[in-house]
C-alpha cells in the first residue's frame, strides 16, 4: 500500500486497502473465504464489503467510508500489537523519532521497488500481458503475473526460442479427460479437476526425477573415474 497517495474517496484505493488489511493484518476470514472480498472489480463487491463489516461487528455505517477506514485501521493496529506486544513495548514516540533521525538515508535505485502492485494501472498492465500471452486471467492479478512469468521463463527464453523443440514437445496430445481418474466424486466437473491436478502432480514428479538424475550424474562424474597414485603401490613384500 502507498499511504502517501491514498485517497479515501477513491473507490479503487478503498477496496485495495480493505483487501490488504484483511490479508495482512486482520485475517478474520479463512483464505479460501476471501474470494468475494478480493474480487474488487465485481459488481457484487459492495455486498461482500457490507457482509465483511458485519462479520467484524463493525459499529460504523458502511456508507461512511472515512469512518470505516479509521475503524479498520484501529482494529489492524490492535491485532498487530497483540501479536507482537513484546516487540512494541519499547516503541515510544521519543524512541521512534530518535531512530528516524539517526537512521541513514538509503537511495533506492531499483525502479521495481517504486511500483504499486495494487494500483489499477498495474492490474490493467497484467491483464494486457495475460491477453497477449493467451493466459486465462486469475481473479488475483498477482497469480496471473506469476503464470505469465513462468511462461516467459520456460517458453520465451533465448534458449527456448533457439530450440523450441526442447521446450514445446511435439506429438499426440494425451486425452486427459478421457482417462480413468481412479476414483469417483459424483460430479463431472470435479472429476475433470481431479484429472488435471493429477497430471500437474505427475509433471512435478517428472521434474523432481530429472533433478535427481542430474545429481546422480554429477556425483558419478567424480566417483566413476577415480585417479590412482602409482607411487603408493608396491609389488611383493
Amino acid at each position: 500500500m502507498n499511504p502517501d497517495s491514498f485517497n479515501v474517496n477513491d473507490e479503487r484505493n478503498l477496496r485495495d486497502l480493505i483487501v490488504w488489511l484483511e490479508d495482512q493484518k486482520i485475517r478474520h476470514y479463512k483464505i479460501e473465504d476471501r474470494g468475494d472480498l478480493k474480487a474488487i472489480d465485481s459488481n457484487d463487491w459492495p455486498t461482500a464489503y457490507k457482509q465483511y463489516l458485519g462479520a467484524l461487528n463493525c459499529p460504523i455505517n458502511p456508507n461512511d467510508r472515512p469512518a470505516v477506514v479509521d475503524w479498520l485501521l484501529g482494529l489492524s493496529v490492535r491485532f498487530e500489537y497483540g501479536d507482537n506486544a513484546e516487540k512494541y513495548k519499547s516503541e515510544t514516540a521519543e524512541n521512534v523519532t530518535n531512530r528516524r533521525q539517526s537512521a541513514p538515508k538509503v537511495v533506492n535505485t531499483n525502479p521495481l521497488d517504486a511500483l504499486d502492485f495494487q494500483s489499477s494501472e498495474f492490474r490493467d498492465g497484467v491483464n494486457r500481458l495475460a491477453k497477449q500471452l493467451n493466459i486465462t486471467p486469475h481473479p488475483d492479478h498477482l497469480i496471473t503475473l506469476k503464470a505469465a512469468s513462468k511462461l516467459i521463463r520456460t517458453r520465451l527464453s533465448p534458449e527456448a526460442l533457439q530450440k523450441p523443440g526442447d521446450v514445446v514437445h511435439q506429438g499426440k496430445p494425451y486425452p486427459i479427460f478421457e482417462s480413468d481418474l481412479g476414483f469417483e466424486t459424483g460430479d463431472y466437473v470435479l472429476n475433470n479437476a481431479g484429472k488435471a491436478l493429477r497430471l500437474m502432480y505427475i509433471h512435478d514428479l517428472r521434474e523432481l526425477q530429472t533433478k535427481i538424475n542430474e545429481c546422480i550424474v554429477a556425483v558419478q562424474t567424480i566417483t566413476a573415474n577415480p585417479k590412482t597414485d602409482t607411487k603408493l603401490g608396491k609389488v611383493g613384500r
Side-chain angles (χ1 to χ4, degrees), residues 76-122:
S76 301
V77 170
R78 180 160 65 88
F79 286 153
E80 177 71 15
Y81 180 82
D83 292 341
N84 304 277
E86 293 298 325
K87 173 183 176 181
Y88 293 120
K89 278 185 176 180
S90 61
E91 295 297 315
T92 62
E94 182 180 359
N95 290 342
V96 172
T97 301
N98 293 336
R99 187 163 63 250
R100 286 179 177 176
Q101 292 176 348
S102 60
K105 293 183 179 180
V106 178
V107 179
N108 192 353
T109 59
N110 186 354
L112 294 179
D113 291 337
L115 290 177
D116 180 5
F117 296 103
Q118 299 297 333
S119 67
S120 57
E121 292 82 3
F122 186 83

Side-chain angles (χ1 to χ4, degrees), residues 1-233:
M1 300 306 300
N2 291 318
D4 295 334
S5 60
F6 176 77
N7 182 2
V8 72
N9 295 316
D10 183 280
E11 187 69 19
R12 171 69 67 165
N13 282 186
L14 176 72
R15 296 184 180 188
D16 284 339
L17 174 63
I18 291 176
V19 171
W20 186 84
L21 289 176
E22 168 59 19
D23 275 343
Q24 303 296 327
K25 303 299 178 183
I26 300 176
R27 300 189 291 273
H28 180 75
Y29 283 163
K30 295 180 180 179
I31 295 178
E32 59 269 21
D33 295 335
R34 299 174 189 171
D36 292 340
L37 190 65
K38 297 182 74 171
I40 60 176
D41 294 321
S42 171
N43 294 330
D44 296 328
W45 192 88
T47 301
Y49 160 72
K50 293 179 180 179
Q51 291 175 347
Y52 177 62
L53 295 183
L56 294 176
N57 295 320
C58 176
I60 309 298
N61 186 334
N63 295 325
D64 190 351
R65 300 296 180 85
V68 169
V69 169
D70 184 69
W71 187 85
L72 289 175
L73 290 174
L75 182 65
S76 301
V77 170
R78 180 160 65 88
F79 286 153
E80 177 71 15
Y81 180 82
D83 292 341
N84 304 277
E86 293 298 325
K87 173 183 176 181
Y88 293 120
K89 278 185 176 180
S90 61
E91 295 297 315
T92 62
E94 182 180 359
N95 290 342
V96 172
T97 301
N98 293 336
R99 187 163 63 250
R100 286 179 177 176
Q101 292 176 348
S102 60
K105 293 183 179 180
V106 178
V107 179
N108 192 353
T109 59
N110 186 354
L112 294 179
D113 291 337
L115 290 177
D116 180 5
F117 296 103
Q118 299 297 333
S119 67
S120 57
E121 292 82 3
F122 186 83
R123 292 173 184 271
D124 293 340
V126 172
N127 290 333
R128 288 197 300 271
L129 176 62
K131 186 176 181 180
Q132 291 179 352
L133 297 176
N134 197 25
I135 296 176
T136 302
H138 189 275
D140 188 341
H141 65 288
L142 295 181
I143 295 180
T144 303
L145 180 61
K146 184 178 180 180
S149 173
K150 183 176 181 180
L151 177 63
I152 292 172
R153 284 186 288 105
T154 57
R155 297 293 182 92
L156 301 178
S157 64
E159 296 79 8
L161 294 176
Q162 290 178 0
K163 297 181 179 180
D166 294 343
V167 179
V168 182
H169 301 287
Q170 304 297 324
K172 184 179 180 180
Y174 177 70
I176 175 176
F177 296 119
E178 298 175 9
S179 63
D180 183 23
L181 178 59
F183 59 89
E184 180 62 40
T185 66
D187 185 282
Y188 175 78
V189 176
L190 286 180
N191 285 344
N192 285 342
K195 294 175 183 178
L197 288 174
R198 170 172 288 182
L199 187 63
M200 293 171 64
Y201 177 67
I202 293 174
H203 179 268
D204 289 344
L205 287 179
R206 177 64 265 175
E207 287 190 349
L208 176 62
Q209 183 63 56
T210 300
K211 292 178 180 179
I212 292 174
N213 292 343
E214 291 174 352
C215 291
I216 294 175
V217 171
V219 172
Q220 286 178 341
T221 58
I222 301 175
T223 60
N225 186 27
K227 295 182 179 180
T228 57
D229 188 349
T230 56
K231 297 179 182 179
L232 301 177

